[in-house]
Amino acid sequence: MPGIDACLADAMALPGARGAAVIEWTSGLTLGTVGEPPNGDYEVTAAELAELARLAAEHTAFGSAEPGRADGVPAEGPPGGTSGGPPGGGFPGAPPGAPPGGSVAYGSGGPGGPVPVEDLLLTTRTGYHLLRFVEDTLDGAVVVYLWLDRENGNLALARLRLRDLVAGLALI
Amino acid sequence: MSAGVSGSPGPGGAAGPAASMGPIAPADPALLPQLARLAAGRATGALSGEGGVLYLAGGRVVHAESPAAPGLEILLSAAGRLPAEGWREAVERAGARREVARHLVESGRLGGGELEICHLGALFDAAYFVLAPGGGRARFRPGAAHWLGPVRPVPAETVARESRRRRALLAAVWPHPQVDTAPVVRRTSVRAPAVPRRQRAVLDLADGRRTAVEIARLLGRPAFHTLLDLRRLAAAGHVETPRPRTSGAARAAPAGPAPDPPTPDGPSPAGSAPARPGPPGPAAAPAAPAGLAAPAGLAAPAGPAASGGSGPPEAAEASGAPARPHPAEPPAGLTDPADPDLHLLRRVRDALEAKL
C-alpha cells in the first residue's frame, strides 16, 4: 500500500540516514527524493546512480556464469539469486528466429529476464550507500537509494530494512 | 498526494513563469511557453500537440499520452502485474468518475507504490514525445480530465526539464536521431562487445522492419528506454545507423555488403558525428570523411536536431513524416545508395573540391 513518499520517509527514519531517492535507472529519471543528496545535487546523483545500477544489472559477472544459449533459452540463474526468468525470455512477440550461433554473449537470465542483482552496498570513509532494485516492477528498471552517515549508520540493519521497504512498494 | 518530485521548492516564482521552464532554446517545442503559462495559471485541462497530450490539474501534470509511448496499461500487463481483465474491470467500475488508478489500488489489484512508479514511468515516457521539438501548435481544452485520475502529480517545470535531459542523454550516447525512427537493422560484427541483457531483448526483435517504438510496444517497455537502448546498440555497432534523412528518402536495402567498415564501430560516440557504421555506398570509402559533409549539408542538417529529437527538422515538412516515431509511417532515415540526386550532388561536390 505505501507509495513512493511513504517509502522514502520510512527509509529516512533509519539511524544515520541522510538522504534517499527512487530512481528509474534505465532512463535516469528521478521519481522521488528526500533529504540531502551526497554530492549536493540530486540530478547529478541520480545520473551517477543510474550508471551504477546499469552496470550492475547488465554486467555478466554478477549473473549467470555461462552465456545464454543460441536458441534463446536462458542459462540457469545464479545461486541464491532471483528465481529464473521465464523460458526464452518470455516477453510477448518473441521472434521465431534467434540469432544464429552463440557469437554474442548473453547477460544472465536471458533477454527480458529478471535483474540478477538484489542490491549494491558501497562504503566510503564517511558514509554507506545502498541501492536496492525494485523487483517485479517495470522489469527491474527502478532502484531505491539510501545513504547513511558512517558514524550513526548500521549497514546490516539498513540493508534489511530497505529490502522490506522496497518489497512494501508492491504490497497490496 | 504529494507535490511530485521533491528537491526544489517549486518553479522560480520571482523570475516569472517562462523562466521557470529554463531558457527556451530555438529547438524547443512551441508547447513549452504555453505549458509554462498554464502551469503559472494553475490550469486544469488537456494540452494536445502533434506528439500527444498532457493532462494538467491545478497547473501540475497528472497524466500524459502519446501514440509513440506504449502507455500504462501495456506496461502493467507486460510486467505480469495486472491481467487485462483487471484493467478492464477497473475502467468499467471507476472510469466514469475518473478514478481508475485509485480503484486499482483500493480493489487490491496493485500496490500503491508500484502504481506510482509505473504511472510516472508512463507519464514521463509520453511527455518526452509530446514535448519533442517541432511539435507545432498546441490546443488546450480547459477542464478536460483523464479517466485514470491523479496518481502523483508532477510540476510542469519538472516534466519540461526531464524531457530536455532525455534529449541530451540520447545525443550524448549516440548523436544520430535517425536511429529513433528508422527500422532497426541488425549488424553482425565480430569486433562488437557483448550485448547486455536488456538490450539483447531489443536486438532480438530487430527484423529490419520494426521501428524503435514498435519494439518497445512488443516488449511492454517505455518507448524512451528502447530509444536509449538502440542508441547504445548503434554506438556499439550492433545495429545500423542509417544516413540522415534526405528529401529523396526512399525505402532502401540495408547498407551494403561490407561487414566491418573501417569507420570506428566501438562505442565511441564522442565527436564521431561524421563517422557512422555502415558503408557509404557507391561514393565509397576514400570520399567518406568529406562525403559525410555533403549529406549533412543537403539533408538540411541533422545537426541542430542532434539534440536527440526524433527526426531531423526537415522531416516535418517531407511527406508528412512527423517529428516523432509513428508505427504506421513509412521508414525514415534510409536512403538509397543509388539515389540519383545524391549521386549528382556528390559529383558536383567532387568537382568543386577538385578546384580548391
Side-chain angles (χ1 to χ4, degrees):
Chain A
M1 198 70 104
I4 290 174
D5 295 315
C7 174
L8 291 175
D10 285 346
M12 284 299 282
L14 281 161
R18 300 282 295 277
V22 181
I23 294 164
E24 190 192 67
W25 60 265
T26 43
S27 61
L29 168 68
T30 308
L31 294 172
T33 64
V34 69
E36 38 175 317
N39 62 356
D41 181 344
Y42 257 126
E43 199 160 308
V44 171
T45 302
E48 292 175 351
L49 292 174
E51 273 307 290
L52 203 54
R54 187 169 73 85
L55 289 175
E58 295 186 337
H59 219 279
T60 56
F62 303 124
S64 163
E66 348 155 26
R69 289 158 43 180
D71 60 5
V73 175
E76 252 181 6
T82 55
S83 57
F91 53 85
S103 59
V104 181
Y106 279 53
S108 75
V115 178
V117 175
E118 294 178 16
D119 59 31
L120 299 177
L121 311 175
L122 195 148
T123 305
T124 67
R125 274 192 312 108
T126 52
Y128 296 117
H129 301 260
L130 297 88
L131 206 61
R132 177 101 196 164
F133 282 82
V134 182
E135 228 180 295
D136 283 344
T137 299
L138 278 188
D139 201 18
V142 176
V143 288
V144 178
Y145 168 69
L146 169 65
W147 76 287
L148 322 164
D149 72 65
R150 188 90 191 251
E151 210 180 307
N152 301 310
N154 178 326
L155 184 58
L157 170 68
R159 179 175 174 267
L160 293 177
R161 184 81 183 113
L162 187 60
R163 178 196 64 189
D164 293 342
L165 288 175
V166 168
L169 286 170
L171 269 189
I172 291 164
Chain B
M1 295 287 161
S2 67
V5 178
S6 64
S8 55
S20 75
M21 291 288 165
I24 297 190
D28 277 346
L31 226 61
L32 272 189
Q34 213 168 344
L35 182 61
R37 274 197 307 276
L38 292 167
R42 302 208 201 291
T44 297
L47 181 61
S48 316
E50 282 174 43
V53 191
L54 290 181
Y55 289 88
L56 298 168
R60 292 187 299 174
V61 179
V62 288
H63 191 58
E65 285 184 341
S66 168
L72 183 58
E73 183 188 352
I74 291 184
L75 296 185
L76 287 173
S77 75
R81 295 299 293 166
L82 183 69
E85 173 51 43
W87 179 268
R88 262 197 309 271
E89 188 253 353
V91 175
E92 272 166 28
R93 293 266 173 100
R97 59 173 194 273
R98 302 185 204 219
E99 286 187 349
V100 173
R102 177 192 267 179
H103 179 83
L104 283 169
V105 174
E106 287 179 353
S107 66
R109 293 199 176 271
L110 268 190
E114 133 182 70
L115 174 68
E116 286 182 2
I117 288 172
C118 293
H119 181 252
L120 284 173
L123 188 160
F124 281 99
D125 194 33
Y128 170 79
F129 296 100
V130 179
L131 294 178
R137 275 225 55 76
R139 193 169 60 102
F140 182 66
R141 285 173 290 141
H146 193 270
W147 44 259
L148 202 55
V151 177
R152 195 167 184 277
V154 185
E157 180 224 347
T158 305
V159 175
R161 209 174 51 228
E162 172 66 14
S163 295
R164 198 177 286 126
R165 184 194 71 85
R166 290 184 175 209
R167 278 199 291 285
L169 176 58
L170 286 181
V173 166
W174 189 240
H176 301 279
Q178 60 271 29
V179 170
D180 293 350
T181 47
V184 183
V185 178
R186 267 199 276 215
R187 258 179 106 231
T188 42
S189 165
V190 289
R191 280 191 273 143
V195 182
R197 206 175 44 86
R198 290 178 73 94
Q199 291 174 32
R200 166 52 67 186
V202 173
L203 198 57
D204 282 349
L205 287 178
D207 63 357
R209 280 193 307 277
R210 294 183 179 121
T211 60
V213 163
E214 288 162 345
I215 291 175
R217 188 170 297 264
L218 285 172
L219 289 175
R221 290 185 189 168
F224 177 77
H225 297 190
T226 306
L227 294 186
L228 197 49
D229 280 339
L230 279 170
R231 296 265 186 136
R232 291 202 168 103
L233 284 167
H238 292 295
V239 303
E240 298 286 354
T241 299
R243 293 159 178 264
R245 202 176 153 169
T246 69
S247 54
R251 181 161 171 83
D260 279 295
T263 51
D265 53 0
S268 53
S272 59
R276 62 179 191 286
L292 292 155
L298 64 88
S307 59
S310 345
E314 94 286 350
E317 102 229 5
S319 68
R324 80 239 117 252
H326 190 294
E329 168 194 5
L334 285 183
T335 59
D336 187 350
D339 184 352
D341 292 336
L342 205 51
H343 192 55
L344 170 65
L345 283 157
R346 273 199 212 98
R347 285 171 51 205
V348 169
R349 180 209 69 223
D350 290 338
L352 288 170
E353 279 178 354
K355 296 210 186 292
L356 286 175

